[in-house]
Amino acid sequence: MSEQQVKPTLLSGIQPSGQLALGNYVGAMRNWVNLQQDYRGIFIVVDMHSITVRQKPADLRNRCLSFAAQYLAAGIDPNENIIFIQSHVPQHAELSWVLNCYTYMGELNRMTQFKDKSKRHEDNVNAGLYTYPALMAADILLYQTDLVPVGADQKQHLELTRDLAARFNNTYSPTFKVPEPYIPASGARIMSLQEPEKKMSKSDSNENNFIALLDPPDVIQRKIKRAVTDSAREISADSLTKPGIGNLLTIYAVLNDLNESGIVDTFAGRQYSDLKAELSDSLVAFLEPFQTRYHEIMTEKGYLSGILDDGAEKARSIARKTLSKVHRKIGFVAPGRMK
Ligand code: TRP
């Protein structure tokens, strides 16, 4: 326990929308697992973020539990890390309100995710979608986070978080740690299977675009077979830089721990169809133990809720300290001091 406290804090969150996909594993969860030796991890299922887009209540409820179980199945150790559901810790909403009052509309107007999502959900451009970066900043700053692993699409939000932390610290006195981004050394980006120019997204309306971590073997085989490539048939060194086939090579390389020359050596001169067949086998073999563990966790009813309750309690106790400092500095009267 005392050893745990000297470890710096790493924090990350995934929105419970869509289905966790291979892109999430490679881009995020795999790094969480690898970094848990050196960091005390805080891993959040950010349900409050996900309601910026309409969700079906029953699906949202199931997905929150399912995502938490997948964090565990991926290898996050709940004894060494804190795993919880964002809405179980009310300090996120409370701090986000305060931070909203220190965030300029000009800053929010520049956020590319807001611009993208407003285009995609034109009938529901709500205020939450707009102020979402202040909630994300609250997620991070409540825990005096040192490191935030982020993909390219979240860099802008992390920059804003850093600016808000510094702004608050300068206005009052040091209150928040200013977090650093963590850009993974091997930054393999996993792209969509049908539209390989864009990132593989777990919320894509076309399920053929992604491999879900819970896809059964026949679905994996079908999705890989249908993955878009170009009109060539044979793999060469150039294939790595071509959108469709290059992405399949990248996925194979990640799963089999190969570097670029290793992957080219393995497949040069062979058919695209060979790669697809071997890639399906690799994926099935890789996901099988993950899925077995996941189903075990989901059937042990009390186990998961015990972990989430415990995580939320630990999170609240850290968050409460930061929030009460914030309230004091901005001039809120402490409860119990009114008499
Ligand atoms: N905004 C992130 C995304 O859409 C999710 C997120 C919410 C997050 N809070 C976070 C990521 C805190 C890292 C740290 O992917």
Side-chain angles (χ1 to χ4, degrees), residues 29-326:
M29 295 154 78
R30 180 176 61 141
N31 300 312
W32 302 355
V33 173
N34 291 337
L35 290 163
Q36 64 182 338
Q37 290 289 335
D38 301 322
Y39 290 86
R40 190 268 310 267
I42 299 185
F43 303 112
I44 319 176
V45 179
V46 290
D47 56 347
M48 292 162 66
H49 282 270
S50 68
I51 62 164
T52 53
V53 171
R54 286 287 167 267
Q55 306 287 339
K56 289 204 184 88
D59 291 352
L60 178 59
R61 200 172 294 125
N62 292 333
R63 248 188 267 122
C64 281
L65 298 174
S66 170
F67 277 35
Q70 291 180 68
Y71 289 6
L72 296 170
I76 303 289
D77 178 352
N79 297 316
E80 299 286 332
N81 302 283
I82 301 177
I83 301 172
F84 67 96
I85 296 176
Q86 186 185 28
S87 62
H88 292 183
V89 181
Q91 288 80 9
H92 289 251
E94 295 181 69
L95 182 60
S96 87
W97 172 254
V98 174
L99 294 177
N100 264 309
C101 300
Y102 294 79
T103 307
Y104 301 115
M105 290 180 62
E107 291 175 310
L108 296 176
N109 288 336
R110 284 199 293 274
M111 296 293 132
T112 52
Q113 192 174 52
F114 172 69
K115 292 187 222 171
D116 287 351
K117 285 202 181 176
S118 333
K119 262 188 229 142
R120 271 190 283 139
H121 303 275
E122 266 177 346
D123 53 337
N124 183 23
V125 183
N126 60 70
L129 193 62
Y130 185 62
T131 61
Y132 167 125
L135 178 60
M136 176 161 163
D139 298 342
I140 297 168
L141 300 179
L142 275 174
Y143 302 96
Q144 306 296 346
T145 301
D146 294 278
L147 205 63
V148 184
V150 279
D153 62 327
Q154 295 298 316
K155 265 197 205 149
Q156 213 184 12
H157 292 157
L158 191 68
E159 268 314 305
L160 178 66
T161 302
R162 289 165 53 85
D163 290 347
L164 289 174
R167 184 172 305 155
F168 195 95
N169 291 347
N170 292 334
T171 308
Y172 303 99
S173 57
T175 310
F176 297 122
K177 193 169 262 178
V178 181
E180 297 293 329
Y182 169 81
I183 318 283
S186 58
R189 229 158 94 84
I190 307 297
M191 311 305 280
S192 158
L193 298 177
Q194 296 294 317
E195 295 160 83
E197 319 278 338
K198 64 178 208 190
K199 183 175 119 162
M200 180 181 284
S201 162
K202 68 185 182 2
S203 308
D204 204 305
S205 53
N206 178 0
E207 295 201 356
N208 286 324
N209 277 342
F210 60 83
I211 302 287
L213 298 180
L214 297 176
D215 275 343
D218 59 317
V219 173
I220 294 175
Q221 263 143 12
R222 197 183 63 229
K223 286 180 177 177
I224 295 296
K225 204 176 247 172
R226 290 189 187 163
V228 167
T229 52
D230 52 89
S231 57
R233 295 178 139 225
E234 207 172 87
I235 296 164
S236 65
D238 291 347
S239 306
L240 262 182
T241 55
K242 291 189 181 172
I245 196 72
N247 185 40
L248 299 182
L249 285 164
T250 302
I251 299 174
Y252 187 93
V254 167
L255 296 177
N256 293 284
D257 260 326
L258 294 171
N259 60 19
E260 291 199 351
S261 62
I263 186 78
V264 171
D265 288 348
T266 310
F267 284 103
R270 297 175 61 195
Q271 302 291 307
Y272 282 12
S273 55
D274 289 345
L275 169 65
K276 285 188 165 183
E278 290 191 25
L279 177 57
S280 292
D281 291 347
S282 286
L283 275 165
V284 169
F286 169 74
L287 290 175
E288 198 193 336
F290 170 85
Q291 294 179 1
T292 304
R293 181 73 192 118
Y294 168 79
H295 293 298
E296 277 167 17
I297 294 167
M298 290 302 274
T299 48
E300 287 172 60
K301 282 253 156 53
Y303 175 71
L304 183 61
S305 72
I307 287 173
L308 294 175
D309 285 349
D310 183 55
E313 194 175 309
K314 288 186 183 138
R316 282 191 296 264
S317 104
I318 305 170
R320 236 183 254 127
K321 287 190 194 121
T322 303
L323 189 69
S324 69
K325 266 198 222 168
V326 167

